[in-house]
Amino acid sequence: VPKYFYSDFDPGRQYSLPWQSGFGALGWNKAKIQELLGTDTLTSVDQLWDPKLKGRVSVLSEMRETMGVLLASQGSDPSNFTDDQFYKAIDLLAKQVDSGQIRQVSGNDYAGALESGDVLAVIGWSGDMIQLGEDFGVGLPETGGTLFSDNFLIPASAPHAHNADLVINYYYDPEVAAQVAAYVQYIPPVQGAQEAMRKIDPALADNQWIFPSPETYAKAYVFMTLPEEKDVEYQRAFQKAIGG
């Protein structure tokens, strides 16, 4: 069972189910990276800091994705790290923002910046890069990326919980899950979705970022669940580092 089915905030998945999952990964403009760096593939976070890419790099405003990738690049485990390790990665982020190496810290609008050529390399979400097409690359750094999951949850006081159950069951039908994955191009949490995808789009059925192999999962970390006070502390440090 893929690791996104396991959750330290909900052991045994008693109260939640994954909806869609994906990777915090590297993304890039293949032609421009080839032109500037002599390769059409990014495999290392350190490549983002190449002076030839100054002012052409974007990272995510989602703290867990950006910091998870940076923590891993420094040899730390994003699933289990210390304050010292976190602040070491924060120092790296602040340095790259302050120097102008990082052009922007953004949500989903980095995809448009990649298309326009304003940025050439990013820490972004895997599905966004797939949607951009074959001119753009996506990959987990050799040091590892992050694995996130958006989840279904039903409030304990929901007056129509059964209706919510029906909706979740609908999306857990393999045929429906495959249709959703073909549209959003993220990882579906439903067994049988890959087989169903072969009827819709055989190329997507073999896409490593929609139906990852165990080897790909092994290179991704689920970001450590933080106590509320620690989450607030880390979020404030992150916002300060990115100039927020």
Side-chain angles (χ1 to χ4, degrees):
V1 178
K3 64 174 72 176
Y4 58 76
F5 271 99
Y6 299 99
S7 168
D8 55 3
F9 71 81
D10 180 14
R13 286 287 186 181
Q14 296 297 305
Y15 304 101
S16 66
L17 284 171
W19 157 237
Q20 298 291 308
S21 297
F23 297 103
L26 299 177
W28 61 91
N29 179 313
K30 291 181 181 178
K32 292 295 185 180
I33 292 298
Q34 175 69 54
E35 178 183 327
L36 292 174
L37 303 186
T39 175
D40 67 355
T41 304
L42 295 184
T43 60
S44 168
V45 173
D46 288 343
Q47 289 173 288
L48 298 179
W49 318 139
D50 191 301
K52 295 176 183 177
L53 294 181
K54 185 172 183 177
R56 312 298 290 277
V57 176
S58 176
V59 300
L60 289 168
S61 56
E62 169 52 53
M63 184 271 286
R64 286 165 174 77
E65 254 60 73
T66 291
M67 293 308 298
V69 171
L70 295 185
L71 280 160
S73 77
Q74 295 182 326
S76 301
D77 181 350
S79 301
N80 184 23
F81 55 87
T82 66
D83 280 350
D84 286 346
Q85 291 171 328
F86 180 81
Y87 285 106
K88 180 182 177 183
I90 280 286
D91 289 344
L92 171 62
L93 174 63
K95 174 185 176 182
Q96 301 303 337
V97 171
D98 293 344
S99 70
Q101 184 74 20
I102 293 175
R103 177 189 180 95
Q104 64 182 46
V105 181
S106 63
N108 289 90
D109 54 337
Y110 68 88
L114 269 173
E115 285 189 299
S116 69
D118 287 340
V119 301
L120 303 180
V122 304
I123 294 175
W125 285 300
S126 53
D128 290 348
M129 260 77 75
I130 298 171
Q131 292 177 33
L132 287 175
E134 295 183 358
D135 291 339
F136 299 88
V138 57
L140 293 176
E142 56 195 11
T143 49
T146 60
L147 175 68
F148 73 87
S149 291
D150 293 330
N151 300 288
F152 285 117
L153 298 102
I154 303 173
S157 59
H160 303 292
H162 178 63
N163 290 345
D165 287 337
L166 294 175
V167 170
I168 294 171
N169 286 341
Y170 172 76
Y171 282 112
Y172 263 67
D173 180 287
E175 301 287 338
V176 176
Q179 293 176 40
V180 173
Y183 183 73
V184 302
Q185 303 198 6
Y186 280 94
I187 304 168
V190 181
Q191 291 186 357
Q194 185 171 20
E195 290 71 21
M197 182 68 85
R198 297 195 186 283
K199 305 174 187 176
I200 299 173
D201 189 330
L204 291 182
D206 294 324
N207 190 302
Q208 188 60 208
W209 307 108
I210 301 175
F211 300 102
S213 68
E215 291 75 21
T216 299
Y217 279 125
K219 292 177 63 177
Y221 298 90
V222 176
F223 196 87
M224 182 169 66
T225 297
L226 302 171
E228 183 176 356
E229 289 184 2
K230 187 60 67 175
D231 186 46
V232 171
E233 175 191 336
Y234 285 176
Q235 292 285 1
R236 286 175 177 169
F238 180 73
Q239 291 301 319
K240 182 179 179 181
I242 65 176

